[in-house]
Amino acid sequence: MSKGISLKKQDGSKLKIGVVKARWNHGIVEDLFIGCTQALLDSGVKQKNIVTLEVPGSFELPFVAKQLLKKKKLDAVICLGVIIKGGTTHDEYLSEAVSGAIMQLGLETGVPVIFGVLTSLTEEQAIARSTGVNNHGYWWGKNAVEMALL
């Protein structure tokens, strides 16, 4: 369990959760998705109540999350992606735009939109945060249930 957060047992059996995941850095995002889905199921969310869509990259996450919220009655949406620093500052612009848009979407709609985007310096860091007991996707799934139940 993470040092910074403690979680109570949650009953998500009546919740409908959306998950939007990027295909860029597919293997890492898929590991996050597996962890996220497991957390939702562990929290009682029914498999049939997990709506999943894929987008090309992290930049597209907020747009598709907004479309999903317009078309489906969801209790929360989780945006899953990975942004890894490269040889330029492109990652900084991308991270700032995506995080701001995801936050704004939650504020505008009144529906929790979880920022499930790893921002790391290296691929190795991203892998370390998307696998095993440190799989951040798991915690983002738990956070979505907690926020939806508020």
Side-chain angles (χ1 to χ4, degrees):
M1 184 166 291
S2 175
K3 294 178 186 176
I5 188 169
S6 62
L7 299 171
K8 298 181 257 178
K9 179 114 173 95
Q10 302 165 330
D11 179 10
S13 61
K14 292 183 168 72
L15 298 178
K16 190 168 187 179
I17 307 288
V19 180
V20 183
K21 61 180 183 166
R23 287 191 302 270
W24 196 265
N25 293 302
H26 173 75
I28 298 169
V29 174
E30 195 58 29
D31 286 338
L32 292 169
F33 176 70
I34 290 167
C36 179
T37 303
Q38 188 60 57
L40 296 174
L41 296 172
D42 288 352
S43 298
V45 178
K46 295 177 178 76
Q47 182 73 51
K48 68 178 183 172
N49 289 338
I50 302 171
V51 179
T52 305
L53 288 175
E54 287 190 353
V55 298
S58 293
F59 190 77
E60 292 78 20
L61 291 168
F63 177 80
V64 174
K66 184 174 185 174
Q67 299 309 309
L68 207 102
L69 285 168
K70 283 182 180 178
K71 295 178 180 177
K72 305 273 186 192
K73 182 170 175 19
L74 299 173
D75 298 295
V77 175
I78 306 160
C79 296
L80 296 177
V82 176
I83 300 171
I84 300 172
K85 179 146 186 76
T88 68
T89 58
H90 179 73
D91 66 301
E92 295 173 27
Y93 298 106
L94 191 57
S95 296
E96 185 175 339
V98 172
S99 63
I102 288 172
M103 180 186 70
Q104 191 60 39
L105 181 58
L107 294 172
E108 286 175 4
T109 62
V111 176
V113 182
I114 305 302
F115 180 73
V117 180
L118 283 179
T119 56
S120 61
L121 297 175
T122 65
E123 185 175 353
E124 292 76 22
Q125 287 177 342
I127 291 168
R129 289 164 176 78
S130 63
T131 56
V133 296
N134 197 31
N135 186 326
H136 287 37
Y138 187 86
W139 302 110
W140 293 327
K142 288 290 199 174
N143 292 349
V145 172
E146 180 177 348
M147 294 302 293
L149 291 172
L150 285 178

